């Protein structure tokens, strides 16, 4: 199956212009399928049967993988087999009858405005690390970008005069504004601290770690966990929590969904709609508590 999987990933990259994260996700899912089939002595894609695929899904369910994980694996299989049929690599689409489990949609976890303030106020010292951390946290909440987008930002992607960043994802670009708090934190960081931290002084990377290399996802996850603990925030905070909070707070304060969709980089507005639903739930709760006949 290795050859077909590689051909599929190449197709996604060259024809569908998918992001690197999407390609990695498909490859991870299909590599697990390949290993499962190899355990049965099946190494060629053409030798996999519909029952083999059903057994693989049953294996995931029996091992208590989350419904969302099972659903994603089925989606990967369907996309893979659709590609193979189109390319004439297999005669039929044996993934057609696979059914994804029902997923109970959970509302994203968000922070209260007070918790956000407490978190952002934690890096308040004069050390290069705290100056950098303050800039990263302020910019993340100010723009709602993904952690991968944050750590891959270049200095040339930041317009300090017009207060916006240019966020690039393969062939797509979006402009996201930021406010005074993020600008102040960025100005302080760019005024000598960044250059002092960088090992390669000619690098255009915006954020460096304490070794002078570009910041990693893991490094930023540790950073945000550290400051959440310092702020005495009990909930499990991740970089994505700030992204959710950014969107929810914008909608709650009257931002229109199309603008929020554009800033978040969602391809489908139904993904952004969840923040409006959260706001409606909040309004209902306030009404029920406050209205005399609620």
């Amino acid at each position: 199956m290795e050859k077909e999987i590689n051909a599929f990933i190449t197709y996604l990259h060259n024809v569908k212009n998918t992001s690197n994260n999407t390609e990695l996700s498909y490859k991870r899912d299909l590599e697990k399928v390949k290993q499962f089939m190899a355990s049965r002595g099946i190494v060629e894609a053409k030798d996999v049967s519909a029952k083999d695929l059903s057994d693989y899904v049953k294996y995931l369910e029996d091992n208590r993988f989350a419904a969302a994980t099972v659903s994603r694996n089925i989606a990967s299989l369907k996309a893979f087999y659709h590609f193979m049929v189109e390319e004439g690599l297999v005669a039929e689409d044996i993934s057609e009858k696979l059914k994804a489990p029902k997923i109970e949609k959970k509302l994203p976890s968000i922070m209260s405005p007070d918790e956000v303030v407490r978190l952002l106020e934690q890096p308040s010292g004069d050390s290069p690390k705290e100056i950098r951390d303050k800039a990263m946290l302020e910019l993340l909440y100010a723009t709602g970008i993904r952690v991968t987008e944050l750590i891959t930002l270049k200095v040339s992607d930041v317009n300090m005069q017009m207060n916006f960043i240019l966020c690039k994802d393969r062939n797509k670009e979006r402009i996201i504004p930021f406010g005074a708090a993020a600008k102040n934190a960025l100005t302080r960081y760019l005024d000598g601290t960044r250059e002092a931290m960088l090992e390669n002084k000619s690098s255009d990377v915006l954020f460096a770690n304490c070794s002078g290399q570009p910041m990693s996802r893991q490094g930023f996850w540790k950073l945000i966990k550290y400051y959440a603990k310092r702020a005495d925030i009990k909930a499990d905070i991740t970089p994505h929590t700030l992204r959710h909070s950014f969107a929810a707070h914008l909608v709650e304060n009257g931002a229109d969904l199309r603008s929020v969709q554009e800033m978040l980089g969602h391809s489908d507005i139904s993904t952004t709609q969840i923040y409006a639903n959260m706001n409606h739930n909040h309004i209902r709760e306030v009404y029920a508590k406050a209205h005399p006949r609620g």
Side-chain angles (χ1 to χ4, degrees), residues 172-200:
K172 294 177 286 184
E173 292 185 351
R174 65 191 196 276
I175 290 173
I176 313 167
F178 56 79
K183 180 171 186 173
N184 291 339
L186 273 171
T187 299
R188 192 177 182 209
Y189 171 66
L190 291 170
D191 188 20
T193 299
R194 172 187 167 273
E195 188 177 355
M197 293 187 79
L198 271 177
E199 184 178 59
N200 177 8

Side-chain angles (χ1 to χ4, degrees), residues 26-286:
Y26 273 120
K27 190 164 178 66
R28 272 195 303 266
D29 290 346
L30 295 172
E31 285 291 335
K32 288 174 188 171
V33 177
K34 185 185 81 171
Q35 289 166 14
F36 177 84
M37 297 306 163
S39 72
R40 295 185 158 203
I42 303 169
V43 294
E44 298 290 338
K46 61 183 175 60
D47 295 330
V48 179
S49 69
K51 185 177 184 307
D52 290 322
L53 292 189
S54 294
D55 287 347
Y56 176 67
V57 173
K58 188 174 185 305
Y59 158 78
L60 294 176
E61 292 171 339
D62 288 347
N63 282 273
R64 299 189 176 183
F65 281 86
T69 301
V70 176
S71 183
R72 194 197 67 233
N73 273 267
I74 290 173
S76 295
L77 279 167
K78 285 181 177 289
F80 179 53
Y81 272 91
H82 178 75
F83 161 78
M84 288 203 293
V85 169
E86 289 288 312
E87 294 294 312
L89 300 173
V90 292
E92 61 176 325
D93 185 350
I94 59 172
S95 71
E96 274 185 337
K97 293 185 179 177
L98 294 178
K99 286 200 166 108
K102 286 187 178 178
I103 302 172
E104 183 182 336
K105 283 194 174 180
K106 292 182 180 177
L107 291 175
S109 174
I110 67 165
M111 301 165 68
S112 69
D114 175 66
E115 286 175 326
V116 171
V117 169
R118 278 160 45 205
L119 177 71
L120 299 184
E121 284 180 345
Q122 292 313 305
S124 56
D126 295 325
S127 69
K129 182 183 181 303
E130 291 216 15
I131 291 171
R132 179 209 63 193
D133 294 351
K134 174 77 169 174
M136 292 189 83
L137 289 172
E138 288 283 5
L139 189 61
L140 189 66
Y141 178 64
T143 59
I145 56 177
R146 302 172 182 90
V147 63
T148 303
E149 294 169 333
L150 178 73
I151 63 173
T152 54
L153 275 176
K154 309 294 184 190
V155 174
S156 53
D157 295 328
V158 184
N159 188 315
M160 294 296 287
Q161 284 72 42
M162 301 297 290
N163 292 13
F164 69 78
I165 59 169
L166 181 63
C167 203
K168 302 170 186 174
D169 179 13
R170 291 296 298 277
N171 293 334
K172 294 177 286 184
E173 292 185 351
R174 65 191 196 276
I175 290 173
I176 313 167
F178 56 79
K183 180 171 186 173
N184 291 339
L186 273 171
T187 299
R188 192 177 182 209
Y189 171 66
L190 291 170
D191 188 20
T193 299
R194 172 187 167 273
E195 188 177 355
M197 293 187 79
L198 271 177
E199 184 178 59
N200 177 8
K201 305 302 182 186
S202 63
S203 172
D204 192 32
V205 68
L206 181 58
F207 294 113
N209 63 23
C210 292
S211 300
Q213 302 299 314
M215 174 70 74
S216 67
R217 285 174 58 88
Q218 294 84 355
F220 188 73
W221 271 67
K222 288 177 184 175
L223 179 157
I224 203 168
K225 297 283 187 187
Y226 168 73
Y227 287 118
K229 186 176 180 181
R230 245 173 60 169
D232 197 29
I233 297 171
K234 305 301 183 188
D236 186 25
I237 302 300
T238 71
H240 224 67
T241 310
L242 271 180
R243 177 171 163 85
H244 287 316
S245 302
F246 159 85
H249 295 166
L250 277 178
V251 172
E252 189 173 351
N253 285 292
D256 66 278
L257 283 184
R258 286 289 178 194
S259 297
V260 177
Q261 176 194 4
E262 190 174 333
M263 285 185 275
L264 290 173
H266 287 162
S267 56
D268 191 335
I269 198 166
S270 64
T271 310
T272 320
Q273 183 68 41
I274 192 169
Y275 300 110
N277 296 341
M278 291 176 69
N279 192 38
H280 293 155
N281 290 339
H282 174 67
I283 290 170
R284 278 195 290 270
E285 288 172 10
V286 170

